[in-house]
Amino acid sequence: MTIWATPTLAGRHVSLSPLDAAHADGLRAAAADGALWTLRYTSVPGPAEGDAEAYIADALAQRDAGVALPFVVRDADGDIVGSTRFYDIDRSIPRVSIGYTWYAVRTQRTGLNTEAKLLLVDHAFASWNCEAVVFETSHENIRSQTAILRLGAKRDGVLRAHRRHRDGTLRDTHVFSILRHEWPALADVLRRKLESHPNV
């Protein structure tokens, strides 16, 4: 029987471990690098007292309900730089989404995100035998769409008026996926890219 639990994953640029309440101060500091909470299409804790704690509590509630597995993300120096999670877990296929991802500005457009996604996607296919890994993002988040396409994911389509942003405006959701048979070749490309150009 496959056990779906939050793994600890580590590479040269990044490490991911289960999110817990002790990470509140680290997340607060990471979000402050770029004032990430001002981007309405992201789910990032704000600077107010209790925001990071509430963010973690919500993520852990999703974990306890069996619908998400949240991570704290650290850079090569061990500093907390953001968060990500598996969500929309469908064990019957199996299929999983990766999202709720945000990083301190200083780590964006570096090898950290590429390696984090490599570790997460590889775990989904190798350990959970997933048939597909899915990525979703707002129509306004062009940077995220570009990063997902760089991974080799294919655009499945757009869900119009699918959700609302934090400010209440409607969000069209761009959906991408990687299938099991596509992953070995994509993983090789990403590994070579990280070896040749560590800051991709």
Side-chain angles (χ1 to χ4, degrees), residues 133-199:
V133 172
V134 178
F135 304 90
E136 297 180 343
T137 191
S138 167
H139 66 281
E140 294 187 13
N141 197 343
I142 305 303
R143 177 174 288 184
S144 177
Q145 293 176 44
T146 301
I148 292 168
L149 288 169
R150 278 203 308 267
L151 294 173
K154 294 186 179 178
R155 191 186 300 269
D156 294 335
V158 180
L159 301 175
R160 297 181 297 165
H162 180 230
R163 301 186 189 280
R164 288 191 181 274
H165 294 117
R166 286 187 301 167
D167 64 359
T169 57
L170 281 171
R171 165 182 140 164
D172 293 343
T173 298
H174 289 241
V175 183
F176 306 80
S177 67
I178 298 173
L179 302 183
R180 170 193 285 281
H181 74 271
E182 298 168 338
W183 179 238
L186 295 178
D188 285 345
V189 170
L190 292 176
R191 290 188 182 103
R192 288 198 300 270
K193 189 180 293 186
L194 282 167
E195 289 170 4
S196 303
H197 305 284
N199 291 323

Side-chain angles (χ1 to χ4, degrees), residues 3-197:
I3 298 175
W4 292 67
T6 313
T8 296
L9 306 169
R12 184 172 53 166
H13 304 283
V14 67
S15 65
L16 303 99
S17 56
L19 181 68
D20 67 41
H23 298 136
D25 287 341
L27 290 186
R28 207 169 356 253
D33 182 3
L36 302 178
W37 59 84
T38 62
L39 301 174
R40 66 179 182 178
Y41 50 74
T42 61
S43 175
V44 179
E49 184 177 348
D51 279 5
E53 288 80 2
Y55 177 89
I56 293 171
D58 180 67
L60 297 184
Q62 291 185 29
R63 180 202 64 191
D64 294 344
V67 297
L69 297 171
F71 296 87
V72 64
V73 180
R74 290 182 169 87
D75 64 15
D77 295 325
D79 296 327
I80 292 175
V81 294
S83 185
T84 190
R85 71 187 73 166
F86 288 116
Y87 71 103
D88 276 354
I89 297 169
D90 187 339
R91 295 166 176 81
S92 67
I93 294 178
R95 177 184 180 98
V96 69
S97 296
I98 296 172
Y100 293 87
T101 303
W102 60 270
Y103 303 121
V105 166
R106 69 181 182 277
T107 67
Q108 294 175 14
R109 302 183 70 85
T110 71
L112 184 142
N113 181 56
T114 301
E115 188 170 55
K117 291 299 191 296
L118 175 62
L119 292 167
L120 290 165
V121 177
D122 201 59
H123 184 84
F125 286 125
S127 298
W128 295 336
N129 298 312
C130 285
E131 296 296 338
V133 172
V134 178
F135 304 90
E136 297 180 343
T137 191
S138 167
H139 66 281
E140 294 187 13
N141 197 343
I142 305 303
R143 177 174 288 184
S144 177
Q145 293 176 44
T146 301
I148 292 168
L149 288 169
R150 278 203 308 267
L151 294 173
K154 294 186 179 178
R155 191 186 300 269
D156 294 335
V158 180
L159 301 175
R160 297 181 297 165
H162 180 230
R163 301 186 189 280
R164 288 191 181 274
H165 294 117
R166 286 187 301 167
D167 64 359
T169 57
L170 281 171
R171 165 182 140 164
D172 293 343
T173 298
H174 289 241
V175 183
F176 306 80
S177 67
I178 298 173
L179 302 183
R180 170 193 285 281
H181 74 271
E182 298 168 338
W183 179 238
L186 295 178
D188 285 345
V189 170
L190 292 176
R191 290 188 182 103
R192 288 198 300 270
K193 189 180 293 186
L194 282 167
E195 289 170 4
S196 303
H197 305 284

